[in-house]
Amino acid sequence: MVVGASSGIGLRTALMLAEAGRPVVAAARDSERLAALRKRAELEQLPLVTRTVDVTSAPSVEELFAHLPLAGCVITAGRNLSRQLVRRPRDSAVRDWARHPEDEWREVIDLCLTGTFLVGREAAAVLARQNRGGVLVTVASSTWRGSWGQSAYSAAKAGVVSLTRSWALELADYGIRVVCVAPGVVDGAALRTKAAARPAHAEYMERLRGQVPLRRFATENEVAATIVHAIDNCYMTGNVLEVDGGGFPGRIA
């Protein structure tokens, strides 16, 4: 099972597994993108089926895992909304400082952290009942240590790391491994779309790229390959595998 498989890292992971001949259930909430993925799988004769799920809804997640045999689950669903906690007004005549919107905080926490919890809970229940072991792979971010302008996302991803380590201890009794993959910036469609729409953001990301020791961002294939490695290494659990090019800068001036 790959949850969050309609785009980005999740899509690349689902395809990488299916192209290797592994049966995959690709789940996400974007039905149009899932339809395109399903068509691709049919054309390329890949062992991949799709399911729709809202990871912020417990009933939706429970339905996804009902009556489903499972070897492992990759949880990639998430979204980053960059906001400073407070921000000085650009206009000196304006007295009120902008504050991080509570609804955006809740949106990111619900999707990235609560969604990971709900999916992990149901996947663990299925694997434990089967009594054949298995693996959960969570996806965090290098921002989990803290990052400028990333209150909600950093907090959510730090929570994902903590869940990973807690679950690894709990689920070892059932032979279930739990590993976290934490990429830095990923040079994918989402980044390019945002950069094309906002020249200031594109310029900022270029400055950030220059601060990464390897002077480039990760590819989706590199992150997906790390996820597959976590699936395949049967003595790995509780680990956080960082795919960050040598270190993610906390702030760019």
Side-chain angles (χ1 to χ4, degrees), residues 1-6 26-31 34 50-65 75-79 106-122:
M1 172 78 74
V2 180
V3 179
S6 61
R29 62 181 174 180
D30 191 322
S31 56
L34 285 179
T50 63
R51 296 288 186 273
T52 303
V53 66
D54 176 1
V55 300
T56 66
S57 164
S60 178
V61 175
E62 290 167 8
E63 181 180 359
L64 174 66
F65 284 93
I75 313 168
T76 70
R79 184 187 180 195
R106 293 185 183 278
E107 180 181 348
V108 172
I109 295 295
D110 284 352
L111 184 58
C112 296
L113 183 55
T114 304
T116 296
F117 165 77
L118 293 174
V119 173
R121 182 182 67 175
E122 297 309 310

Side-chain angles (χ1 to χ4, degrees), residues 101-224:
E102 183 181 350
D103 61 337
E104 292 186 358
W105 164 270
R106 293 185 183 278
E107 180 181 348
V108 172
I109 295 295
D110 284 352
L111 184 58
C112 296
L113 183 55
T114 304
T116 296
F117 165 77
L118 293 174
V119 173
R121 182 182 67 175
E122 297 309 310
V126 172
L127 292 171
R129 284 197 302 267
Q130 291 176 165
N131 196 31
R132 296 197 301 268
V135 60
L136 303 180
V137 181
T138 64
V139 175
S141 161
S142 291
T143 62
W144 73 271
R145 290 191 176 88
S147 182
W148 189 90
Q150 303 283 319
S151 291
Y153 194 65
S154 294
K157 293 305 186 179
V160 169
V161 169
S162 184
L163 286 178
T164 300
R165 289 173 167 164
S166 296
W167 291 348
L169 297 173
E170 291 183 29
L171 298 176
D173 289 345
Y174 306 102
I176 300 169
R177 298 183 297 107
V178 192
V179 181
C180 180
V181 174
V185 180
V186 178
D187 192 1
L191 174 63
R192 297 189 200 106
T193 298
K194 191 173 182 179
R198 294 179 54 198
H201 179 73
E203 193 273 335
Y204 176 85
M205 295 307 292
E206 280 306 308
R207 296 204 310 274
L208 192 155
R209 190 194 305 263
Q211 295 298 308
V212 175
L214 286 184
R215 302 294 191 270
R216 68 176 181 87
F217 298 145
T219 68
E220 291 173 352
N221 271 348
E222 287 167 334
V223 180

